[in-house]
Amino acid sequence: MWLACFLAIVWFPTLSAQAQNESVRVIAFGAHPDDCDLGAGGLAAKFAKLGHKVKFVSLTNGDAGHQSQGGGQLAMRRRAEAQEAGRRLGIEYEVLENHDGRLLPTLEVREQIIREIRQWKADIVIGPRPNDYHPDHRYTGVLVQDASYMVIVPNIVTDAPALRRNPVFLYYSDQFTRPQAFRADIVVSIDDVYQKKIEMLDAHTSQFYEWLPWTAGQLDEVPKDPNARKTWLATRPIVVSNVRPEWRDALDRRYGAEAARIQHAEAFEITEYGRQPSEEEIRNLFPFFPTK
Ligand SMILES: [Zn+2]
């Protein structure tokens, strides 16, 4: 038995340390077309740059997120924006047909998520925590959480073969504190791809230049010129992705002396429900940290 384990470690180091694939395969879920982008656009850009595979999935079609448009016309517009955002980053972007503002944690949507994760052969799955001001975000968190064991159960969603290894499931960062605050387990510097993240967000014209400024009463502050408004976007608090003080420990741990210079970052918490990666596996799954 000992010999078998020893041989497995010696002869199949990538299998033991990595996952079901040669390259890392990441799938991220958001409630709306732009949610994944805000939480993990920088991370996705870093993976894509290294040739790894990333897919963003919006569980709703975003057909309620505008002050003067709605329904099928808005859904079409937002799907096109999401496709453009994915194209700018070199990742896949899928928008499901569930209605915006009406998402519920149903069996049907859970099975859509299980199917997506399996078909993508995901090593890493990202979703929101189930504590949030927006019911669609909250239920996206519940739905991804509810899929996180079922992806390895062959008798569930039999048209998509079950995964042999449970992926690592991550939460995006947030600032909600009840019932508990977000814990920064993995913090990735996005300084090298920050402009790429802005390019991606810039594709969501209906959101960052129309709907969100309107909800904040700042519609008249949005510059008309496309370049000027992109510069303006890069300074918005929701976008800027500055390192938060509570992320510093995780940054120091993985970046050492470089950590102090990092300005923009994205942070993730490892959920309790997927595979629990060792430190070695984290470094294989996130090949961005300097080697010591
Ligand atoms: Zn959202």
Side-chain angles (χ1 to χ4, degrees), residues 5-184:
C5 291
F6 176 75
L7 285 174
I9 292 164
V10 170
W11 293 107
F12 307 109
T14 50
L15 189 69
S16 69
Q18 204 157 295
Q20 27 239 352
N21 309 290
E22 294 266 314
S23 58
V24 184
R25 298 184 67 89
V26 182
I27 191 164
F29 294 91
H32 310 112
D34 74 331
D35 288 357
C36 299
D37 317 44
L38 283 167
L43 181 74
K46 290 178 82 88
F47 274 120
K49 208 163 83 169
L50 293 177
H52 299 294
K53 303 291 177 216
V54 184
K55 181 174 187 178
F56 282 180
V57 180
S58 174
L59 295 189
T60 79
N61 60 15
D63 60 357
H66 202 274
Q67 68 277 26
S68 58
Q69 299 171 1
Q73 186 201 11
L74 179 59
M76 272 176 57
R77 186 176 180 206
R78 296 197 66 183
R79 173 168 285 103
E81 289 173 347
Q83 295 302 332
E84 174 60 15
R87 193 193 64 74
R88 291 183 185 184
L89 229 63
I91 67 164
E92 286 203 27
Y93 208 132
E94 184 174 356
V95 177
L96 302 183
E97 269 308 337
N98 305 300
H99 289 294
D100 187 354
R102 306 183 71 188
L103 187 68
L104 288 172
T106 62
L107 199 50
E108 188 194 349
V109 185
R110 185 202 298 172
E111 293 189 345
Q112 287 180 327
I113 294 171
I114 293 170
R115 201 171 278 111
E116 290 282 353
I117 294 170
R118 287 179 177 178
Q119 287 172 347
W120 193 248
K121 296 185 172 59
D123 300 309
I124 298 171
V125 180
I126 313 175
R129 294 200 307 154
N131 324 307
D132 198 288
Y133 73 99
H134 195 306
D136 288 352
H137 298 173
R138 200 155 60 231
Y139 293 138
T140 300
V142 170
L143 284 156
V144 176
Q145 193 168 282
D146 287 352
S148 62
Y149 169 67
M150 291 300 174
V151 294
I152 64 164
V153 179
N155 276 327
I156 301 294
V157 191
T158 52
D159 57 80
L163 298 181
R164 295 292 291 123
R165 291 191 86 191
N166 208 3
V168 173
F169 283 75
L170 304 176
Y171 295 127
Y172 303 108
S173 67
D174 63 58
Q175 306 212 53
F176 301 104
T177 57
R178 293 179 187 182
Q180 71 274 319
F182 169 84
R183 185 189 66 217

